[in-house]
Amino acid sequence: MKRPSPKLAAVSIIALAAALPAAAQEFSFGTALEYGEGTFGTEFLGSINDRGSDSYRLFKLIGDVKYPLGQRGFYVGGDLSLGFAIGGTDNFGNSSGGSLDQLHRARLLGGFRTGDLDLYAATGYAIAKGDFYPGSDNEASTFEGRTLALGMGYSVNDKFDVGIEIIHDDMETTDGEKVAEWKNRAISANATYKF
């Protein structure tokens, strides 16, 4: 099944932010470190078979906008993260010479804030760039799909937040002659500055 482009999700989030009253918005920018493990599969005789798993580490630049819904602590918003592989990903995806270079996400947020604690869920689209399955029928440069996350944040003071997220991505590629998929679970720790 063809999935919507991450570019559409990013445009939608920007449009949402622009439509919200500027005085009520909360903007944050920061960095994060992510560790994930993914399971790869490729098409064989019409079905997707597992071909093993691999891990990765990312350094991420993150930004978000939040809009409070009344006085009860609920809010909606959106975020964008740009992730860059660190620590080496040689032979990524159980493929000789394969590599993961980037993993970006554009998401919509919904959450609840009580005191210094922030609980939220996020959903959107993810896109991974790299060199996957080089030299094979499945050779590809892009995986694309949906992402889900649950997160918790803590306000250190009026300007700085720290947080942690559990993330699940479900992506596929049709770059090669056969369909390949990548499903991963990750944990991310972040620190942000509020404007």
Side-chain angles (χ1 to χ4, degrees):
M1 181 179 65
K2 187 175 181 180
R3 292 168 176 161
S5 168
K7 295 178 182 178
L8 178 61
V11 170
S12 299
I13 290 170
I14 293 171
L16 172 65
L20 300 176
Q25 294 177 22
E26 178 185 294
F27 296 93
S28 297
F29 178 78
T31 60
L33 293 175
E34 177 177 324
Y35 174 82
E37 294 187 353
T39 300
F40 292 83
T42 54
E43 186 178 31
F44 180 71
L45 297 179
S47 62
I48 300 293
N49 292 330
D50 290 340
R51 285 190 57 183
S53 60
D54 216 331
S55 62
Y56 66 88
R57 293 171 296 279
L58 298 177
F59 170 78
K60 300 190 295 186
L61 299 175
I62 56 177
D64 66 46
V65 57
K66 297 174 182 175
Y67 177 72
L69 300 175
Q71 304 298 318
R72 297 180 180 272
F74 293 98
Y75 65 86
V76 295
D79 72 4
L80 183 67
S81 69
L82 304 177
F84 304 92
I86 57 176
T89 58
D90 294 340
N91 301 319
F92 188 76
N94 285 7
S95 56
S96 178
S99 65
L100 170 67
D101 299 325
Q102 304 171 29
L103 176 53
H104 309 315
R105 301 181 181 98
R107 311 181 305 182
L108 297 176
L109 305 173
F112 175 75
R113 179 175 296 154
T114 174
D116 293 329
L117 190 63
D118 185 5
L119 303 173
Y120 62 91
T123 183
Y125 294 92
I127 183 168
K129 297 284 190 177
D131 187 12
F132 308 105
Y133 308 113
S136 73
D137 290 343
N138 301 298
E139 185 170 1
S141 61
T142 302
F143 274 88
E144 183 178 354
R146 61 181 178 268
T147 181
L148 301 169
L150 294 175
M152 179 176 67
Y154 177 78
S155 295
V156 178
N157 55 39
D158 290 342
K159 289 296 184 180
F160 289 97
D161 286 356
V162 293
I164 191 167
E165 281 189 5
I166 303 298
I167 304 168
H168 173 71
D169 298 320
D170 186 354
M171 298 179 284
E172 67 177 26
T173 180
T174 55
D175 286 358
E177 296 180 16
K178 299 178 180 180
V179 175
E181 69 176 16
W182 174 23
K183 297 182 179 181
N184 76 289
R185 295 175 298 276
I187 185 168
S188 177
N190 61 71
T192 56
Y193 178 82
K194 291 181 287 190
F195 293 91

